[in-house]
Amino acid sequence: MNRIGIGWPGFALLWNQGDVRGLACAGLFALVLNYAILVGGWFPWSLAACTWLAGTMLSARWRRAAEPRSASAEEAARREELLTGAQTEYLKGHWFEAEALLEELTALDRFDLPAHLLLATLWRRTGRFEAAEKRLQLIGGLPGASRWLLEREQESRALARRKEEAAEAEGLEARRERGDSAVVGERGH
């Protein structure tokens, strides 16, 4: 499959990561290549070859930009230190410290799925539901996200439950403020 991905710009991105941009690139390349062959006149193959070469070079550059870069030993140690620190702060209930470490980690490595997932969990726990939902959507688009599918689904379910609980609590509070006798009876006051 790698040989086909190298020979047809955009195909590797589409096949390996399921990225729609790869489909757009491959389709655009097909249109340009067909146009080059049709209007090439006496030298259709030279124009087609130039089109293929340019498309392949652009696709390779695009692919490199979309892939996670390999880190040095120092960067890997720093990322591990940040993640461990964030987990420790999260477990202690120090939300701000954990969030700061996770934000630093995701800025350092935007492909760090465990950091993104922990950040979404943190935001769910602190009631920032929309931010948590957006982060879960972001995780779904990152390379390697399929390995974290179960965790993402569990977090999505926990987020949905937490949103329902918050909505119910808000509704009970609003009814209690209005003086609804059924709410007062439920609370045993």
Side-chain angles (χ1 to χ4, degrees):
M1 186 54 58
N2 287 338
R3 290 181 183 159
I4 295 173
I6 291 171
W8 196 270
F11 188 72
L13 188 63
L14 175 65
W15 185 264
N16 294 333
Q17 299 176 10
D19 195 339
V20 177
R21 293 177 302 170
L23 179 62
C25 181
L28 181 65
F29 175 73
L31 289 173
V32 170
L33 182 64
N34 284 327
Y35 179 76
I37 291 171
L38 288 174
V39 299
W42 289 100
F43 304 105
W45 296 111
S46 63
L47 185 59
C50 289
T51 304
W52 177 82
L53 183 62
T56 302
M57 289 171 44
L58 287 173
S59 178
R61 184 167 186 254
W62 190 5
R63 193 176 332 138
R64 276 195 306 274
E67 290 177 357
R69 60 182 181 86
S70 60
S72 68
E74 290 176 6
E75 287 178 346
R78 176 69 179 141
R79 289 195 326 243
E80 186 64 32
E81 177 185 328
L82 286 171
L83 183 60
T84 303
Q87 289 170 335
T88 301
E89 295 300 328
Y90 175 84
L91 292 173
K92 288 179 181 178
H94 300 158
W95 309 129
F96 294 114
E97 293 84 357
E99 183 176 1
L101 291 170
L102 289 168
E103 289 286 356
E104 183 179 347
L105 179 55
T106 55
L108 188 67
D109 181 7
R110 65 186 177 117
F111 296 104
D112 193 329
L113 291 166
H116 286 292
L117 191 59
L118 185 56
L119 194 54
T121 302
L122 173 73
W123 287 340
R124 171 183 50 88
R125 301 259 312 173
T126 57
R128 294 165 58 191
F129 305 128
E130 289 190 25
E133 284 178 354
K134 287 179 182 177
R135 188 57 55 137
L136 289 173
Q137 290 173 355
L138 174 92
I139 292 170
L142 293 176
S146 60
R147 290 179 294 206
W148 292 87
L149 183 62
L150 178 63
E151 289 82 359
R152 278 189 312 136
E153 288 177 352
Q154 287 175 339
E155 184 58 34
S156 293
R157 286 193 297 271
L159 179 60
R161 280 193 309 273
R162 181 72 173 90
K163 284 173 67 175
E164 287 176 15
E165 291 169 1
E168 287 176 14
E170 190 176 291
L172 284 174
E173 185 64 31
R175 289 190 345 211
R176 189 174 338 135
E177 286 176 3
R178 288 192 317 249
D180 193 342
S181 61
V183 174
V184 174
E186 287 177 16
R187 294 284 184 191
H189 295 275

